[in-house]
Amino acid sequence: MKIFKIIAARWNGEGGHREMLILAFPLILSTGTWSIQHFVDRMFLTWYSTEAVAAAMPAGMLSFTILSLFIGTAVYVNTFIAQYYGAERYGRIGPVLWQGIYVAIFGGLLHLILIPYAQDIFSIVGHDPAVQKLEVIYFQTLCLGAAPTIASSAMSGFFSGRGRPWVVMWANFLSTALNLVVDYSLIFGNWGFPELGIKGAAIGTVLSSCFLFLFYFLLFCSRSYNKLYRTLRGWPFDINLFTRLLRFGFPNGVQFFLDIAGFSIFILLVGRLGTVQLVATTIAFNINTLAFMPMLGCGIAVSILVGQYIGKEKPHVAERSIYSGFHITFIYMLCVAITYVVIPDIYIAPFASKADPVDFMPVRKVTLILLRFVALYSLFDTMNIIFSSAIKGAGDTRYVMNVLIIISAFVLVIPSFIALALLDGGIYTAWSIASIYAILLGLAFMFRFLGGKWKSMRVIEDQKIDQ
């Protein structure tokens, strides 16, 4: 009976599995919609043409790499909001959110400046001319949606940081539905719309980002929110708060950027091996995204609970929350990893269903092997996501950034360049390098968490500020 009491206490107590699941479940569904969006988007492009799906991954990754620097910075308002909310300093929530929106404006302007240089950027990579042409179109169109994408990432933190994730879930459900409808209409020219191929997919992404921003903004303008959290009255630029956001958020943005950049360079190098290898890698990563994004939702929940309990001066409960998140995520990922090995065709079949059977046969053969790599490193991705989210929720963003700089450069990028560009290594050599990269990241963040330095960190000001 004692064991049942222990389990019940672990489930129901502060920072227990129940509290974690209540917060994480809508966030898991929310991030799951992102993975569904990308999965279906790539599936439609696979049906459309091999060149289209081959172009979407490198161009999309490059766009998101640049975007990630600003998203990572702006979305860190989530941690500020969680700690302010835990400390019951509600009047600081609106102002810090507006600083994230100012980051979005700057990021959007930079993306517009990049549009004329897209041709030059992709000519350096050296992909097949047909693929390169589509990469330019896709990248240029995605740049138009940068500002609303960054801003909506920050604004979602207003709800999730206060422990109100259901709003975020419904917002993402609706924007994903819009994206899929527009994709189906514009990629293939259905329902009387023009057939735009890969450009139609990019337009769908941009329109869904604009919808998401407007959805959050309309809620944000609520009179009750403005009264308690200063959501409208807090609009002025605050140099001290903005600097504080950059101090903690910019390293988070750099970490996000380096993580995506490392894999973008990896994808570009794999593209030099041939279209089959690039398409197989694209499909494998998209299948992985189906598992990774829900896991990321649990990581966001961990970060929020750490922030709230740090704000309440309860680091021991924050630690308990972290272990709850890790238990749930590891069990989930273990089950998914087994399916990658035992029944991989359930993931590959949607891509193959309307693709040319002859063209897809070599792609399927390579993808089956790549999913075994995914199954292995996904287990370590659990440690990566949960423990990095935990220490970032307290403010330990510089350590995360420094680890990404070292491991991304010396374990992923440089070895991949040497293996693929200089030594003529193959696709399985490349994926072995990527797997080692993921494993080392997971271990590095786990040991930092176990060290406990994060327990004494804060991102909010020490003194009480008049609200």
Side-chain angles (χ1 to χ4, degrees), residues 150-368:
I150 302 166
S152 59
S153 297
M155 295 176 79
S156 68
F158 173 69
F159 300 99
S160 59
R162 295 180 301 115
R164 305 291 187 274
W166 290 99
V167 177
V168 179
M169 184 197 74
W170 284 112
N172 280 284
F173 274 5
L174 294 172
S175 66
T176 296
L178 174 64
N179 178 268
L180 298 183
V181 170
V182 175
D183 274 2
Y184 187 72
S185 304
L186 295 183
I187 292 175
F188 305 105
N190 291 317
W191 302 328
F193 288 91
E195 181 182 330
L196 300 179
I198 196 170
K199 186 173 184 178
I203 291 173
T205 301
V206 172
L207 289 179
S208 67
S209 297
C210 293
F211 169 84
L212 195 60
F213 170 75
L214 290 174
F215 183 93
Y216 284 136
F217 189 76
L218 290 175
L219 294 177
F220 189 60
C221 292
S222 163
R223 182 178 298 179
S224 59
Y225 286 152
N226 185 43
K227 182 179 180 180
L228 182 59
Y229 303 111
R230 299 173 62 205
T231 52
L232 295 179
R233 291 183 293 121
W235 71 267
F237 181 78
D238 185 328
I239 185 62
N240 292 325
L241 196 52
F242 185 78
T243 302
R244 196 167 186 85
L245 174 61
L246 291 184
R247 176 185 168 190
F248 293 99
F250 186 70
N252 186 58
V254 171
Q255 173 255 319
F256 199 11
F257 170 80
L258 290 173
D259 199 9
I260 302 299
F263 269 102
S264 294
I265 294 171
F266 176 79
I267 293 293
L268 295 175
L269 290 170
V270 167
R272 298 169 65 94
L273 299 176
T275 301
V276 169
Q277 290 84 350
L278 180 57
V279 173
T281 295
T282 299
I283 292 173
F285 274 137
N286 276 275
I287 291 171
N288 182 38
T289 300
L290 286 173
F292 179 85
M293 284 302 186
M295 193 162 53
L296 186 60
C298 203
I300 296 171
V302 167
S303 186
I304 291 168
L305 288 178
V306 168
Q308 289 184 355
Y309 282 120
I310 287 291
K312 294 176 181 178
E313 302 296 335
K314 294 182 176 181
H316 62 288
V317 182
E319 183 176 24
R320 184 185 174 96
S321 300
I322 296 164
Y323 281 116
S324 294
F326 179 71
H327 297 158
I328 294 167
T329 308
F330 186 82
I331 292 171
Y332 158 78
M333 197 62 247
L334 179 62
C335 294
V336 175
I338 290 172
T339 65
Y340 286 155
V341 177
V342 178
I343 47 174
D345 276 315
I346 66 169
Y347 298 103
I348 299 175
F351 293 94
S353 62
K354 292 190 178 181
D356 184 278
V358 176
D359 289 342
F360 196 78
M361 187 180 299
V363 173
R364 176 186 176 277
K365 182 179 178 180
V366 175
T367 305
L368 285 172

Side-chain angles (χ1 to χ4, degrees), residues 11-91:
W11 172 262
N12 292 311
E14 275 192 321
H17 296 106
R18 182 176 181 273
E19 183 181 46
M20 174 59 63
L21 280 173
I22 289 174
L23 179 59
F25 184 68
L27 291 172
I28 289 169
L29 294 178
S30 179
T31 52
T33 62
W34 305 344
S35 60
I36 291 171
Q37 178 175 313
H38 285 90
F39 184 89
V40 176
D41 186 75
R42 300 297 187 263
M43 183 179 70
F44 283 164
L45 290 175
T46 303
W47 295 354
Y48 189 77
S49 75
T50 302
E51 290 79 13
V53 72
M57 187 66 169
M61 287 289 286
L62 179 60
S63 171
F64 193 66
T65 298
I66 302 168
L67 200 65
S68 64
L69 181 64
F70 300 97
I71 289 179
T73 303
V75 81
Y76 202 71
V77 301
N78 193 17
T79 296
F80 277 82
I81 290 170
Q83 292 196 18
Y84 279 132
Y85 189 77
E88 299 183 358
R89 296 165 63 181
Y90 303 132

